[in-house]
């Protein structure tokens, strides 16, 4: 599933291609997840932003086109539309290009709302701070994690203590911070270290254009390179790069998880 670095990579590629362009026509699959796409027609794109894993295209009439890529969503620009049964929404621009959302498994989501009015997108509305928000410094992440007794990895995936982290970057950061993913409490010191490692793995992911394991593609159809840099995620059975112990796969609240039994003790 695209996480913050993948969505940020898409945002950076999309921005120069759609900024200032008017949406002259649009279409959405009749499913409630995509049906609002045509509401953006007639407006122009004023800004291309991101919040967590959501893309936010500000429109020139005070509304926002919100796109969530879900598991398999890909945004791409094409010179005119082609027949593709997996395109769930498209927006034709005034330069003849068509912005398409292709989404094989349909876990993606499109919304057109008044800017910042996210009541109809509860997951977006409930997100915690962006990873580089100073509110997370000085124990801020620790404070947010203390609001729940859920496993620390599950808390990260909930987007509530901090926005944008999914399975890949959670496993990476917890491994680098030496924190067992199924801990229910962390110390202030551990939380500070976790914040530093979350920022580091997300920054590395962005610098590498995201992680392509299966479906994620950049706007130009390319793959990210961060999968070559992963130290923990997806490496169960291989030796830990720090201590040589074999990394172990487990399931934490239903999510496949990899950790080092030596570097990440349970207590
Ligand atoms: Zn280790």
């Amino acid at each position: 599933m695209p996480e913050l670095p993948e969505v940020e990579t898409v945002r950076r590629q999309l921005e120069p291609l759609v900024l200032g362009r008017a949406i002259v026509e649009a279409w959405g699959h009749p499913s409630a997840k995509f049906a609002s796409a045509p509401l953006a027609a007639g407006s122009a794109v004023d800004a291309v932003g991101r919040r967590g894993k959501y893309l936010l295209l500000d429109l020139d009439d005070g509304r926002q086109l919100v796109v969530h890529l879900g598991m398999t969503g890909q945004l791409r620009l094409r010179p005119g539309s082609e027949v593709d049964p997996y395109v769930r929404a498209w927006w034709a621009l005034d330069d003849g290009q068509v912005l398409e959302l292709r989404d094989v498994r349909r876990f993606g989501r499109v919304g057109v709302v008044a800017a910042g009015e996210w009541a109809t997108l509860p997951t977006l509305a409930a997100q915690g701070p962006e990873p580089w928000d100073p509110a997370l410094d000085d124990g801020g992440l620790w404070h947010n994690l203390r609001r729940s007794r859920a496993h620390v990895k599950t808390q990260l995936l909930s987007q509530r203590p901090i926005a944008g982290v999914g399975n890949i970057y959670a496993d990476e950061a917890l491994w680098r911070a030496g924190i067992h993913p199924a801990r229910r409490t962390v110390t202030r010191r551990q939380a500070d270290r976790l914040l530093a490692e979350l920022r580091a793995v997300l920054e590395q992911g962005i610098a590498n254009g995201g992680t392509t394991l299966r479906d994620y593609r950049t706007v130009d159809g390319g793959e990210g390179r961060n999968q070559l840099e992963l130290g923990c995620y997806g490496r169960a059975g291989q030796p830990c790069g720090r201590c040589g112990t074999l990394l172990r796969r487990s399931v934490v609240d239903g999510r496949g998880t990899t950790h080092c039994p030596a570097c990440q003790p349970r207590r």
Side-chain angles (χ1 to χ4, degrees):
M1 176 186 281
E3 305 179 29
L4 187 152
E6 290 73 48
V7 178
E8 177 62 19
T9 301
V10 168
R11 189 199 72 73
R12 290 180 182 188
Q13 287 195 339
L14 209 54
E15 187 171 46
L17 300 172
V18 304
L19 197 62
R21 299 255 74 98
I23 299 168
V24 293
E25 196 185 346
W27 172 83
H29 182 278
S31 145
K33 294 167 156 187
F34 308 104
S36 63
L39 297 175
S43 307
V45 179
D46 252 1
V48 182
R50 180 193 55 72
R51 178 83 173 88
K53 305 179 198 174
Y54 287 81
L55 277 165
L56 307 174
L57 280 72
D58 286 352
L59 304 175
D60 63 351
D61 56 8
R63 297 183 303 160
Q64 230 168 19
L65 169 58
V66 180
V67 179
H68 190 264
L69 298 175
M71 282 186 73
T72 57
Q74 298 166 8
L75 275 176
R76 61 189 185 186
L77 274 166
R78 291 214 183 184
S81 60
E82 278 179 33
V83 177
D84 180 337
Y86 297 119
V87 170
R88 308 302 182 187
W90 54 256
W91 300 269
L93 307 177
D94 60 358
D95 63 354
Q97 301 261 39
V98 179
L99 177 63
E100 290 182 340
L101 174 62
R102 185 175 193 272
D103 185 1
V104 173
R105 295 192 60 186
R106 284 201 277 165
F107 286 105
R109 174 85 207 259
V110 170
V112 179
V113 297
E117 299 286 323
W118 298 332
T120 55
L121 301 157
T123 320
L124 172 58
Q127 287 191 96
E130 286 292 304
W132 298 277
D133 189 326
L136 292 172
D137 293 328
D138 301 322
L141 179 63
W142 183 59
H143 177 80
N144 291 355
L145 289 170
R146 277 161 61 92
R147 288 188 190 138
S148 162
R149 291 273 292 169
H151 298 125
V152 61
K153 175 170 175 179
T154 305
Q155 285 210 57
L156 293 176
L157 298 188
S158 79
Q159 310 299 301
R160 286 170 187 264
I162 181 170
V165 181
N167 216 21
I168 297 172
Y169 297 93
D171 276 10
E172 287 296 295
L174 288 165
W175 173 71
R176 289 168 60 147
I179 298 171
H180 193 285
R183 284 189 71 103
R184 291 190 187 272
T185 56
V186 296
T187 63
R188 161 85 193 258
R189 195 186 166 91
Q190 286 176 316
D192 288 350
R193 174 81 191 279
L194 178 59
L195 177 61
E197 298 295 0
L198 282 165
R199 287 171 170 167
V201 297
L202 294 170
E203 283 165 10
Q204 177 192 282
I206 293 169
N208 285 322
T211 301
T212 297
L213 297 172
R214 284 183 52 184
D215 299 294
Y216 162 69
R217 295 290 182 279
T218 55
V219 175
D220 57 13
E223 300 192 350
R225 299 176 308 281
N226 199 57
Q227 61 276 12
L228 307 172
E229 309 275 340
L230 300 177
C232 180
Y233 179 86
R235 293 176 51 92
Q238 299 180 45
C240 169
R242 255 194 325 251
C243 74
T245 304
L246 296 186
L247 297 172
R248 185 178 295 167
R249 188 187 141 84
S250 62
V251 176
V252 176
D253 297 323
R255 300 298 300 270
T257 297
T258 307
H259 78 284
C260 173
C263 295
Q264 297 168 267
R266 183 69 185 259
R267 51 177 78 241

